[in-house]
Each structure stands twice: as C-alpha cells, then as structure tokens.
Amino acid sequence: MASEEQLSAIKRAKVLMVGAGGIGCELLKTLALSGFQDIHIIDMDTIEVSNLNRQFLFRQYHVGQSKAKVARDAVLRFKPNISITPYHANVKESRFNVDFFKEFDVVLNGLDNLDARRHVNRLCLAADVPLVESGTTGFLGQVTVHLKGKTECYECQPKPAPKTYPVCTITSTPSKFVHCIVWAKDLLFAKLFGDKNQENDLNVRSSDTANPSEHSEDVFECRKDEDIEQYGRRVYDHVFGHNIEVALSNEETWKNRNKPRPIYSKDILHVKMTKENGDTEKDCATGDVSAMSSLSLKNPQDVWSLAENSRVFLEALRLFFSKRGKEIGNLTFDKDNQLAVEFVTAAANIRASSFGIPLHSLFEAKGIAGNIVHAVATTNAIIAGLIVIEAIKVLKKDNNSYRMTYCLEHPSRKLLLMPVEPYEPNKSCYVCSETPLSLEVNTRHSKLRDFVEKIVKGKLGMNFPVIMQGASILYEVGEDLEDDMVAIYAANLEKALSELPSPVTSGTVLTVEDLQQEFSCSVNIKHREEFDEEKEPDGMVLSGWVEAPADKDNNKPNGNGESTSNALPSEEIQEDEKDVEIQETSEGTENVTGKKRKLSEVDESRNQKKPEKLDVDDEDDELVISDDWESLTKKKRV
Amino acid sequence: MNGEELTEQETALYDRQIRVWGADAQRRLSKSHILVYGMKGTVAEFCKNIVLAGVGSVTLVDDRAVTEEALSANFLILPDENLYHGKTLAEVCCDSLKEFNPMVHVSVEKGDISTFGVEFFEKFDVVVISCCSLAKKKLINQKCRKLPKRIAFYTVDCRGSCGEIFVDLQDYKYSKKKLEETVECQLEYPSFEDAIAVPWKVLPKRVSKLYFAMRVIEQFEDIEGRNAGQTSIADLPIVLKLRKELCETNSVSESQIPDAVLERLLTDTSEYPPVCAIIGGILGQEVIKAISGKGDPLKNFFFFDAMDGKGLIEDISKP
C-alpha cells in the first residue's frame, strides 16, 4: 500500500513508545513489521505471569525481567536490523524532559494510568510533538490523535476522577460488596498489618464509649500471653461482633436501612481451629504461603460459606503472624500477595454477610481489591494496528485524515471500528489553552501544604511544582536549592495561606508551574469561610477545571479497575459525597458533546479536499458525528 | 486441562481473560481444535491470538517454501536461513507458535487441502482458510457443511489496506444475558457459495463497495485461473470489463464499484502489517466467541479499509 514517499517517511522516523505491556507488545511488533527503524520504548515494569496471556513477546522464563528490554530482544529476533532503544524507567523521570521528547517525530502511548498519560500529554505539548493515545479494556478500545493547536489535547476532555466512597459508608453503612472490600483492605488490613502510625478510621468508629478503659488501640495489639488463635478470634469478634453491636445502638442510622447482624466466631466455628492434617500451607503454583491451601480450598472461583470465610480469615491471620511476622507493620495490600488477597476476601465476605450483601469468590474479590483490568490479546492487536495507521498519517502530515477510532464490542450502525474526526482544542482547557483556574479556600485555615498536596499535585497532576505569587517564590522543589531556601519553603508549607511571607488572600493570583512538564497555570484565590465537611472535605474547591463525574454505581467486579480504555462517553451520574480517595477506577471516558467544532469546520483552507485517488461517494462516507454519542451510550446500557 | 476444572497454572495464566469471558468459556476453549490454511501475515496474527487464548489445538496447513515476501509481514518467521531452510511456511510458523503457549498443541498437516476427505475435517471445531481461490473456498466450505458435527468456517483475505472476513456458523444457537434474563438466540448462516450468489440488486444500497469489488476480483482470478492475490495493475482493463458485465447481470450501477477501489485491490496485493493486526484480531475474537458460545458473532462479512478507517459488518444473505 505504501507509496515511496510514505515508505521513506517511515524509514526516517524516530518514534517513542511509552509502555511495553499489552498494547506495547502488539505495537512494537507492528511498527517493526511496518518498516519503522528507530524506535525508543520506555516502561518501568517487570514481567508477571498474568501478563503472558497477551504480552506475547514475553515467556515464562522472563518473569521478573524488564518489559522494555525483553520486548526489544524479542522483536529484534524477527527484525534484526532495526534500532530499538529500551528504557527500564519511569517516564516521569527528569531525564525524559522536553528536549528528550523534541527528538521524536511522534509519541505513541500504551499506558495504563491517568497520571502518566497526563504527564506525557504535557511534555508533548511543550515539545510540540504529535501524540497518539490509546487504551483498551476487555473488548473495548480506542485510539486518539493529539496535535498541539490543531486538535484537543489529551486533557481537553476531563477524565473521570478516581472513585471514592464516603467514610461513613465504609465504616458504618456498607450496601455493596465493594464497600466491604474497601473496609477490609484500607481499614482492617492496614490496621493489622500496615503502618501503626497511620491514621485509620477503624480507630474512630470502633472506640467503645461505654467502656473507656479499653482503648481501641489495645484491641488490635496481640497480648503477650495470647496465642495467635486467641488473638485472631478476639480481632474477629471485635470487628464483626462488638463493633456491629455498637453501631446498632445508634437507632438513627438504621431507621431506613436494614440492620446488620453481629457475628461471633464461637457461633460460626464450633471447634478450636487446628491445622488440617497433611495439607500444605503453600500454594502449589507460586510457592507462596496460602490459607486456601492450608484449608484445602482449591477453587478461587468458588464462593465460600460464612464458615469457610471465617476459617480463611483466622488462618490467614495466623499465617501472617507465624510465617511473615517480620513484614507486619510495613505491609500494604498487594494483589499479587496471595495471603493478603485471601485475608481481604474473607474479611470482606464476613462483613458482607453481616450486612446482608451477597458474598463473592476470591477471584472476584481480587479483581475489585486489586483494581484488575480485564484484558485480552485481540483488542490490543486491533488497537495497535490502528495506532500505526494514525502514526503514519502523522508522519505524512496528512492533516485531514487523522481519526479517533473506537473499537466497539457491539456494532453501531454496522460499525465495529468507528472512525471519528478529531475535535479542535478546548478553549477552556487549562492545560493547552492556558485558562486560569479559581480556588475557593479558607486562607486563614488552609496551609500551603494542603494546597500543594491536594491541588497542585493531586488535581493538577504536577510532580515538581513551583508556586509563585508575582515575583515571589512561595515554594519549589529542586536538587540544587540552597539550604536556607529549603528551610524557608519547609516553613512556608506549614503556614496558613494568609500568613505566608507574601500573604495569599482573596484576589491573589498564584502561578503554579512544573518545569519538567513545562506547564504553567494561574490560580485565582477566593477566600471562603465555611466548607461542608462531608461534601468538601479538603476545604478547597477548584473550579474552571471541569471534572467529569465518577460513575457512582461502578462496582462490577471487572469494571472497577483502572482501565486503559477511554472507549465510550461516560454517563451522567454524580458522585455527591467525595471523600477518602480509596480506589481508582476506569479512567477515561470521553465527554463528547455535540457542541464542539470538528477540525474540518474550523479552517477554510483545510477544508479543500486534496484530489484523492479514491472516488469518494459522499453519500456513503458517513463519519459518525458526536450527536450520536448520546444515543449510542443509551444503547450500550441495555 | 483434561479435567473439568481449570488447573492452577491455567487460572494464573488466563486470569485477565477469564475476567472477560469467564471460566466456563475458558474451559471450552481448551477443548477446541482449529484448522488453519494459508500462513500469511494476517493468519499469523490470528494464530497468535488463539494460541494465547488457550485453545486445545491448532493444525497448520501450508506447504509453500519460505520467501522474502513471507519474511516481511509474518513475525512468526525468524529471518535466519539456517532455521527456515528446507522447511515449509507451516513448519516454521508452528515452531514459533508453540512458544506462545506451551499448553496449546500446535502441529502441521502436509498435503493439498482440496484432496483431504470429509473425515479429516471432522476432527476440527473451527476451520479458517486464507489465500484460497473461489473454487477452494466453496469446496472446503461444503466439506465442512457435509458433516453432522457443526464446524465453524471462516475465510480471511487481506490485500494492501483492505481486509475481508467471511463467517459461516451454519445453524448457530447461543444464549446471552440481557439485563437479568437469559435470552436464547438463533442465527442461520448461508454457505459462502449461497452468500455470494445473493443477487446484488436485492442487497441494501449502502452495502460496502469492498464487498462488490472483492467479488469482481474473485471472479477475475477464477476465470483467468490465477492464484489468490496473483494480480497487477495490468489486469485493470479486463477487470473493468468484467465489472461492467457483472453489474449488468445484476442490474446495478457500475458506480457501486469505483475504479479506484479495484485499482487498489489489484496492485496492493501484499499484506500491510497494521491491517493484518486488525483483521487477525477481529477474526480471533470471532473464533473465540464461536467456540465459547458467548457473545454475538458477526454475520456474515467483515470489511476493513485503512483508507477510511471503518471496520464494518455486512449481512449478505437472502432477505
């Protein structure tokens, strides 16, 4: 298909791939076969067994090795004479600065998290390098093209915020299984095995006001003369029995809700727990310590009974203390830690049982707790093919032909692969259009630290910020700062905004920059006295930055993960009560509205179609336009 | 793999895809046998996909020798003459495919597929053919249909920036969940011969130009005794004449099949890797759906054209 001109553009091109995983493997292979000869690839991950069902450049014996390096070696086997430069590194590292990005003709993303995508987006804008973005989840996928000034940037359409749940739902009134998982993972597991100094809502809610002599702290500490089994039962009884009784005593809570029932270990498990005879405590496949193996529960797809869950809970706890005691106090939940997954599954199930919520299998629980994205090879292969097609258009500077392509699970008007023209940049995008933002904050109470952590790093996605008021630098990060400056900045962090050396009050305009991303924006400060504790827990409200609503009911086991797909427009559901950021969810669904103008409408000169070799029958050439998205999503919901 | 439960190894390896289609579907996949004919780039992609998915076995048929052209679009062939010398395309691809998933049995069958008897095909649940003439497609399709066992039949062809998939699931019953209910579905597929015999006049006007163009080229190759894909721009005058005849016979306007599309299909006969990936992916998904019995299968043609970027389904059957 390629003309001479196209072939030589491909040969000369220097391409950067970010991500060597599901999409990355397919993409690297297709780029190599298509004639690309200078490819750079960045990926910080190492290979895991669960990758092998689709990341076909990797083998069992590669587990633990760098994805970028192994992918490179594998492709060189069938295309030996091209150059592939792997970087086993995080794309956010300072060496991947604007100058680095400027070297490339096009950047191709195959990432799986919003954070990195935003970062790359900003660098591509700063370097003025075209970016082809993509994502897949299960059978859905999409490819989008971003050119500075010509199309939307990746952040022009806000992506949904990580899913959060109100604290009280998690601690007192769960109604869905995911609430129980969050409780088990971020509260109970953290309390028992994590950093003891971390604030934990389990403290707050489990304190027994009727018996002030027993501090809640004591409950979770193993007593000197206590054996592990006793300890385990005591913890069990406290969280599933005692705490529930305390909650029940507050009648108000249960007026319109089903009451939970307290569960005590003696009622569920009649005999003292002893190790089953002859069973191994180790999981055969991985050699990890496992309660399931110990109890001969073989199938992760089985839904265990309350008794079985209780046994797993106690056994997992016992195994943690007896086999992995050294790690206690430092553990965070890791989906690849079999014992942790077993514990969290069991704990969540017992709690679910208490609240009348259906129980789930370990397989399902692991997916929710671990934010696992379901994935298959075929979708990644299709998306990779589409990425290469767009990349080639970019190299040929074929402006009118760029398309965003959606790979659907169910055809829409006969189309499984649906191309759409890109939109022009969003004039109120704070990233590419430099629109100022506004922040409502209590300047006398909120500290600079809150602003830096929650707004600048959190919402704005900056990594190494510089915060200025006019010519005064209030805060910055850097390696070559003088000690006295570092001390001043550290002190500034702890000051209330209005107390800063350059006071920040209503009407102040702050400039916030990330030099690495070469990204800058203005924040207009507005003082406000009161904030709603439940709805505005940060005590700060940022506006001018349109945040897409998170999907309130997104608790399907498969849909909860941080998906890579921006496949379909999100639905309208509002998450009222924002709170502790507990989970991340599927990240990107485009809010496509009918209002934006498409590229071809904007520029008259661009509208002149070049004489094409193809006879284009206009009647037939239906590019789906945005107005249809609303009806499309409605269809999808069925 | 032979018992009813998935092994621990399978559960660990297939975790991410089990989350897509379920453990039941995975079990069914592990018991399925696929026959593949014509080891070009697109089929290589397809084979990679189904091997990764964990089918029971894949049997490859292609006695052609390894050539330069094969090397350029087929990532299963390592460009080391020591490795491929004296081996057929099928043999070389077989060696590579085995590496992707040791749990899948990959093998080679030698010989002219047109001569294989009906009993040979009975071993398989799915038959996928590529690089086939019109006559061969009809022949193999018929052999599959002769058997009491229902065999899923697919043809796939990629020429330059275009790709075509044909699906014949005969009488296909499957169930799916709609909201809270389980809905029983049934589809009746025509054979390849019957599908292409549907008069063009009765087809909806907006049927893809690619469908008609491919039929013209197919006829041309048949009449001229060419192998599949053995065409060049020099053939255009005769092809245009043939288009005129076919359109007249079918009472449709020649504008249904633009010159430009025919030109492209005649000249760009070699495979274009991005299109191979796309078509190989779609085909992989279809075969997985058919084996697992999950998901609406496409009926009955799929076309992709990199020129407009659309991937669409056409239902070519008697109204």
Side-chain angles (χ1 to χ4, degrees), chain A residues 515-527:
Chain A
L515 293 176
Q516 189 202 0
Q517 294 172 356
E518 282 195 20
F519 169 49
S520 159
C521 79
S522 320
V523 183
N524 298 324
I525 303 291
K526 289 183 189 153
H527 176 84

Side-chain angles (χ1 to χ4, degrees), chain A residues 1-2 6 10 26 29-30 32-34 48-61 74 76-80 138-139 283-286 298-302 335-336 362-368 372-379 381-386 388-389 392-393 403 405 407-411 413-419 557-558 612-615 617 619-623 637-638, chain B residues 5-6 8-9 11-23 27 45 48-50 52-53 71-80 83 96 99-101 160-161 176-179 204-209 255-256 258-261 263-264 267-268 270-275 277-286 288-289 295-296 298 302-315:
Chain A
M1 121 153 239
Q6 178 169 306
I10 293 172
E26 294 286 343
K29 168 259 301 164
T30 306
L33 287 176
S34 300
E48 297 174 15
V49 169
S50 62
N51 299 151
L52 303 177
N53 80 318
R54 64 203 183 283
Q55 299 174 25
F56 71 98
L57 298 175
F58 312 142
R59 304 279 170 266
Q60 184 72 43
Y61 55 82
L76 285 179
R77 285 175 74 207
F78 61 86
K79 271 285 176 188
F139 293 125
D283 178 348
C284 305
T286 61
K298 297 243 187 287
N299 190 349
Q301 306 251 350
D302 284 338
K335 67 181 190 298
D336 296 314
L362 180 111
F363 180 78
E364 291 166 322
K366 180 178 171 180
I368 301 169
I372 294 178
V373 179
H374 48 297
V376 294
T378 50
T379 320
I382 294 165
I383 291 307
L386 294 169
V388 174
I389 291 172
I392 294 173
K393 290 177 193 171
R403 295 291 176 265
T405 309
C407 176
L408 308 175
E409 187 174 351
H410 305 287
R413 293 202 280 174
K414 304 195 299 184
L415 291 171
L416 272 183
L417 299 178
M418 181 187 285
N558 290 336
E612 294 199 25
K613 274 194 78 181
L614 254 193
D615 299 346
D617 181 334
E619 206 180 47
D620 211 34
D621 200 358
E622 347 160 347
L623 284 176
R637 271 180 239 156
V638 170
Chain B
E5 303 265 327
L6 292 170
E8 269 183 65
Q9 196 188 2
T11 313
L13 176 63
Y14 299 137
D15 183 271
R16 300 298 185 265
Q17 65 199 40
I18 291 173
R19 292 177 191 280
V20 177
W21 52 60
R27 275 187 282 269
E45 285 278 346
K48 174 243 315 158
N49 293 332
I50 58 168
L52 288 173
L71 282 172
S72 65
N74 189 331
F75 66 95
L76 297 177
I77 306 176
L78 308 184
D80 180 352
L83 289 176
S96 299
E99 289 187 19
F100 294 144
N101 189 344
S161 50
K176 61 180 180 178
K177 274 219 160 81
K178 225 176 181 175
L179 300 172
K205 183 170 189 263
R206 285 178 175 235
V207 163
S208 170
K209 296 169 180 6
S255 65
Q256 284 273 63
D259 287 21
V261 181
E263 275 180 48
R264 276 199 289 144
T267 36
D268 303 332
S270 52
E271 288 182 308
Y272 186 44
V275 175
I278 292 165
I279 298 289
I282 299 278
L283 182 60
Q285 261 164 219
E286 286 304 308
I288 289 168
K289 277 193 251 181
D296 298 312
L298 76 84
F302 176 84
F303 294 100
F304 178 74
D305 187 349
M307 273 289 184
D308 64 13
K310 292 185 191 173
L312 50 70
I313 299 172
E314 295 289 2
D315 189 349

Side-chain angles (χ1 to χ4, degrees), chain B residues 89-160:
Chain B
L89 271 176
E91 284 167 334
V92 175
C93 291
C94 180
D95 293 338
S96 299
L97 282 170
K98 281 180 172 155
E99 289 187 19
F100 294 144
N101 189 344
M103 293 192 272
V104 178
H105 184 67
V106 189
S107 64
V108 171
E109 189 71 37
K110 290 196 157 180
D112 179 357
I113 197 172
S114 327
T115 64
F116 295 169
V118 165
E119 344 64 60
F120 171 78
F121 291 94
E122 190 157 36
K123 293 185 273 183
F124 304 101
D125 304 293
V126 176
V127 170
V128 175
I129 59 174
S130 183
C131 320
C132 276
S133 63
L134 176 60
K136 220 175 213 167
K137 283 182 186 174
K138 290 191 214 173
L139 178 67
I140 298 174
N141 191 193
Q142 283 313 318
K143 288 191 180 172
C144 293
R145 285 185 145 243
K146 274 207 175 84
L147 291 160
K149 171 189 187 184
R150 194 183 60 82
I151 297 180
F153 173 82
Y154 302 81
T155 72
V156 61
D157 288 291
C158 285
R159 302 173 78 116

Side-chain angles (χ1 to χ4, degrees), chain A residues 137-156:
Chain A
T137 310
F139 293 125
L140 298 174
Q142 69 184 50
V143 175
T144 54
V145 184
H146 306 276
L147 280 93
K148 181 174 180 174
K150 297 200 178 90
T151 71
E152 287 187 330
C153 81
Y154 179 71
E155 294 179 82
C156 278

Side-chain angles (χ1 to χ4, degrees), chain B residues 17-256:
Chain B
Q17 65 199 40
I18 291 173
R19 292 177 191 280
V20 177
W21 52 60
D24 247 356
Q26 190 62 51
R27 275 187 282 269
R28 257 172 258 145
L29 280 169
S30 72
K31 295 183 182 137
S32 61
H33 305 286
I34 327 285
L35 175 70
V36 179
Y37 175 83
M39 294 307 301
K40 281 179 78 176
T42 310
V43 173
E45 285 278 346
F46 165 73
C47 288
K48 174 243 315 158
N49 293 332
I50 58 168
V51 167
L52 288 173
V55 295
S57 78
V58 181
T59 307
L60 310 175
V61 184
D62 197 326
D63 289 345
R64 292 177 292 184
V66 178
T67 61
E68 267 305 307
E69 197 206 333
L71 282 172
S72 65
N74 189 331
F75 66 95
L76 297 177
I77 306 176
L78 308 184
D80 180 352
E81 248 215 293
N82 296 327
L83 289 176
Y84 67 72
H85 184 71
K87 288 188 170 174
T88 64
L89 271 176
E91 284 167 334
V92 175
C93 291
C94 180
D95 293 338
S96 299
L97 282 170
K98 281 180 172 155
E99 289 187 19
F100 294 144
N101 189 344
M103 293 192 272
V104 178
H105 184 67
V106 189
S107 64
V108 171
E109 189 71 37
K110 290 196 157 180
D112 179 357
I113 197 172
S114 327
T115 64
F116 295 169
V118 165
E119 344 64 60
F120 171 78
F121 291 94
E122 190 157 36
K123 293 185 273 183
F124 304 101
D125 304 293
V126 176
V127 170
V128 175
I129 59 174
S130 183
C131 320
C132 276
S133 63
L134 176 60
K136 220 175 213 167
K137 283 182 186 174
K138 290 191 214 173
L139 178 67
I140 298 174
N141 191 193
Q142 283 313 318
K143 288 191 180 172
C144 293
R145 285 185 145 243
K146 274 207 175 84
L147 291 160
K149 171 189 187 184
R150 194 183 60 82
I151 297 180
F153 173 82
Y154 302 81
T155 72
V156 61
D157 288 291
C158 285
R159 302 173 78 116
S161 50
C162 301
E164 172 188 88
I165 296 172
F166 168 76
V167 181
D168 177 11
L169 301 180
Q170 299 176 48
D171 252 326
Y172 185 61
K173 291 191 185 65
Y174 65 106
S175 57
K176 61 180 180 178
K177 274 219 160 81
K178 225 176 181 175
L179 300 172
E180 294 302 317
E181 297 180 344
T182 308
V183 180
E184 294 297 321
C185 308
Q186 182 170 6
L187 294 171
E188 266 189 60
Y189 286 75
S191 69
F192 187 75
E193 186 159 12
D194 287 345
I196 63 175
V198 173
W200 293 358
K201 202 170 45 173
V202 313
L203 294 172
K205 183 170 189 263
R206 285 178 175 235
V207 163
S208 170
K209 296 169 180 6
L210 264 185
Y211 170 73
F212 299 113
M214 291 291 277
R215 303 287 75 75
V216 173
I217 306 274
E218 194 173 68
Q219 279 290 310
F220 170 76
E221 286 172 350
D222 189 48
I223 293 167
E224 301 283 316
R226 303 276 184 91
N227 287 331
Q230 199 187 5
T231 59
S232 75
I233 194 67
D235 297 318
L236 188 61
I238 305 181
V239 169
L240 291 177
K241 243 179 83 189
L242 180 58
R243 174 187 68 183
K244 185 159 190 261
E245 285 168 27
L246 288 170
C247 288
E248 268 167 24
T249 315
N250 278 282
S251 310
V252 296
S253 153
E254 278 190 83
S255 65
Q256 284 273 63

